[in-house]
Amino acid sequence: MDPLPPPPSTQARPSTTAPPDYTGVALHAVPAGSTTSTTVVMGPGTATVKGTVVGPDGTPAAGVTVRVERLVGKALARMDVVSNPDGTWAALNVLGGGYRVRAWRAPDIAQVTPAFFFVGATETYPVELKLERNFGTTPLPAVAPNPPVAGQSTNLVLQLSSRSVDAGGIVQGVPMAGATVALGGGSGWTVGLPNPTVTDATGRAAWQLVCLGPGVQPLGLTVNGAEQFQLALPACAAPPPPTTVPAPATTVPGTPTTSPSTTTTRPAVTTSTTRPTTTTQPATTTTTRKTGKP
């Protein structure tokens, strides 16, 4: 048997095309006073972005970092300002354009969704920033079916995490594994066993519940025997009305079905076979005799 031929070479062949020569192409000069930089700047300008920072309790929040970003295409420029004791803040002498603003205070409060808006070249744009608490133990419940149906079994899965705000205003959540969690404090639910139970490596725990009536039914949670929370569960729905099933037929299979007969009554017709009696009287014949006498 002849030996197999060697495999083809995978090395690229040298190009025989000469590279283009641009040495003779003249470049236009940049006009004086212009720039070729694509860096986005905040100012100087004649616009102002200002506002107030409000904490989770609705009161002004002091010492909060407010990040103001000016957006141009996919590039941006930014500046950070700190709120005053009365919660006010301002970014002065900025250029107009599209802006994104968010606020936070490490490690406890942050604005999860930033504000987007457009500022005119000479406009003073006011904006209020609302912060949410994102610190400590955070339970996130989910039920199926959603909403629960009164009188029927419901699955409840709980995600338990420890949340905090980092120095850049990003909310970090770490799963709480091995935590002891117990449901209770509500008379509108029947909770299946085991209760209490322990969260797994992902910080999750699960129960089977039965909602005892339609509407909002409170349900409490205790973590590690100390922290207590009220779970935000959807209102229970009323059970659907019972379905009426028609009674099965009693006809034995194979037996022909007899339809009810329809009887039409016609008036009786009487036919008489008796003919009327006809009386025939004999005809009277008068005979005249002739005599010989004149």
Side-chain angles (χ1 to χ4, degrees):
M1 177 181 295
D2 296 334
L4 295 176
S9 175
T10 58
Q11 296 181 354
R13 297 181 179 180
S15 175
T16 58
T17 303
D21 183 9
Y22 296 107
T23 57
V25 179
L27 298 178
H28 295 284
V30 177
S34 63
T35 177
T36 58
S37 174
T38 58
T39 302
V40 180
V41 296
M42 294 293 298
T46 56
T48 299
V49 181
K50 66 177 184 178
T52 304
V53 183
V54 179
D57 57 355
T59 60
V64 172
T65 300
V66 179
R67 176 159 293 176
V68 183
E69 296 175 318
R70 180 171 176 265
L71 311 176
V72 179
K74 296 182 178 180
L76 62 87
R78 74 185 184 190
M79 64 184 299
D80 292 345
V81 296
V82 179
S83 63
N84 300 312
D86 60 353
T88 59
W89 60 274
L92 306 175
N93 302 322
V94 296
L95 295 170
Y99 277 83
R100 176 174 62 192
V101 178
R102 62 185 179 94
W104 74 89
R105 186 182 65 194
D108 56 347
I109 54 178
Q111 180 186 0
V112 179
T113 304
F116 291 88
F117 49 87
F118 185 86
V119 180
T122 60
E123 183 180 6
T124 296
Y125 192 95
V127 57
E128 183 180 78
L129 306 177
K130 296 183 179 180
L131 305 183
E132 300 176 3
R133 180 175 175 82
N134 289 277
F135 182 75
T137 303
T138 303
L140 296 177
V143 294
N146 188 0
V149 179
Q152 299 182 12
S153 180
T154 301
N155 293 322
L156 168 63
V157 176
L158 181 74
Q159 174 72 57
L160 196 66
S161 62
S162 178
R163 298 166 69 88
S164 62
V165 181
D166 66 11
I170 305 301
V171 179
Q172 305 285 349
V174 179
M176 294 180 60
T180 302
V181 288
L183 298 179
S187 59
W189 298 89
T190 298
V191 181
L193 299 177
N195 186 43
T197 187
V198 178
T199 58
D200 61 15
T202 64
R204 294 183 179 181
W207 296 266
Q208 279 196 338
L209 315 175
V210 176
C211 185
L212 301 182
V216 177
Q217 304 296 342
L219 184 63
L221 172 72
T222 302
V223 179
N224 292 328
E227 293 184 284
Q228 295 186 351
F229 304 89
Q230 194 71 24
L231 299 181
L233 300 181
C236 297
T243 303
T244 303
V245 179
T250 56
T251 304
V252 179
T255 304
T257 303
T258 304
S259 300
S261 58
T262 302
T263 305
T264 302
T265 304
R266 296 181 178 179
V269 178
T270 303
T271 303
S272 176
T273 56
T274 305
R275 297 180 178 178
T277 304
T278 303
T279 304
T280 304
Q281 295 181 357
T284 304
T285 304
T286 304
T287 305
T288 304
R289 292 182 179 180
K290 294 180 180 181
T291 61
K293 293 180 179 181

